[in-house]
Amino acid sequence: TSSGESLQSHLLWQLNLAPMSDTDRLIAATLIDCINPQGYLEETLEEVLESFDPELEIELDEIEVVLRRIQQFEPAGIGARDLRECLLLQLRQLPERTEWLSEAIRLVSDHLDILGGRDYSLLMRRMKLKEDELRQIIDLIQTLNPRPGSQIEAGEPEYVVPDVIVRKHNGRWLVELNQEAMPR
């Protein structure tokens, strides 16, 4: 984003637009705090549950339900606990008529480790696919973002100013201090 918005502020902005109870909003804010810059939930739901005051009487299934709501936020795949869940969240947000969608969901659900090992012949046997069909499914999966949080840029770009400048002049290399890099 051009404003240097953080992932957390982007998610909190979406949270403020979502209708939910005060307790669910507290759970959601806590979960959003646990999402790393790549977009993954860093804490287990049990650890999140332990962070709440017992007097609030929050249960694990409530946290799971609120997490499912957050996982519907943008960017797609946010709040996943692992790569498999991240890819499945993104696949499930694609239009139902997307070609090879059900096969891609099956591949990611059941055979992601085989895909990661690039054992395409085993994948073709397990999924009963031809090589060109498998290639189209893999192409669909490769359109997904394994780090959805990276789409939201935190901070302004930092420019590197070199301390020295090296250039070739009349066949000789010249090294000069960069006056712009010197403290004033």
Side-chain angles (χ1 to χ4, degrees):
T1 61
S2 60
S3 64
E5 176 181 40
S6 76
L7 177 60
Q8 270 67 29
S9 64
H10 180 71
L11 295 173
L12 289 169
W13 173 77
Q14 292 176 77
L15 173 63
N16 287 333
L17 298 176
M20 59 176 64
S21 70
D22 290 343
T23 303
D24 285 353
R25 196 169 297 285
L26 173 66
I27 294 169
T30 303
L31 287 169
I32 287 170
D33 281 344
C34 296
I35 294 175
N36 69 22
Q38 286 75 40
Y40 288 88
L41 187 67
E42 288 190 319
E43 308 290 328
T44 66
L45 297 185
E46 290 79 12
E47 290 170 329
V48 173
L49 178 62
E50 289 174 14
S51 72
F52 290 113
D53 185 340
E55 289 181 17
L56 292 174
E57 298 180 3
I58 294 173
E59 295 182 15
L60 194 60
D61 62 335
E62 289 177 88
I63 297 172
E64 181 78 38
V65 167
V66 173
L67 177 60
R68 294 275 175 248
R69 296 268 315 266
I70 291 171
Q71 289 174 338
Q72 294 171 4
F73 289 179
E74 290 295 324
I78 205 75
R81 291 165 275 194
D82 58 29
L83 178 61
R84 176 176 279 114
E85 186 176 28
C86 178
L87 297 176
L88 286 172
L89 287 167
Q90 292 176 62
L91 286 168
R92 290 184 178 126
Q93 288 190 13
L94 292 175
E96 286 183 29
R97 294 188 307 267
T98 302
E99 198 171 15
W100 302 106
L101 181 60
S102 62
E103 293 85 355
I105 289 172
R106 196 171 118 229
L107 192 155
V108 170
S109 294
D110 302 335
H111 307 295
L112 189 60
D113 52 338
I114 298 171
L115 178 62
R118 300 188 190 298
D119 192 344
Y120 302 126
S121 58
L122 179 58
L123 267 176
M124 288 186 288
R125 284 195 308 273
R126 292 251 174 108
M127 293 189 67
K128 297 174 179 44
L129 295 168
K130 295 181 177 121
E131 187 175 342
D132 62 321
E133 295 170 332
L134 178 61
R135 179 146 332 282
Q136 291 182 60
I137 295 167
I138 291 172
D139 287 347
L140 174 60
I141 293 169
Q142 287 177 334
T143 65
L144 307 175
N145 187 346
R147 292 179 296 282
S150 65
Q151 294 175 7
I152 309 298
E153 198 61 41
E156 298 297 319
E158 294 182 29
Y159 298 100
V160 177
V161 178
D163 291 330
V164 293
I165 299 172
V166 180
R167 60 186 170 94
K168 195 170 191 175
H169 181 69
N170 294 334
R172 294 181 32 186
W173 289 101
L174 298 174
V175 179
E176 301 173 340
L177 286 175
N178 185 356
Q179 297 302 316
E180 292 177 26
M182 295 293 127
R184 301 196 192 275

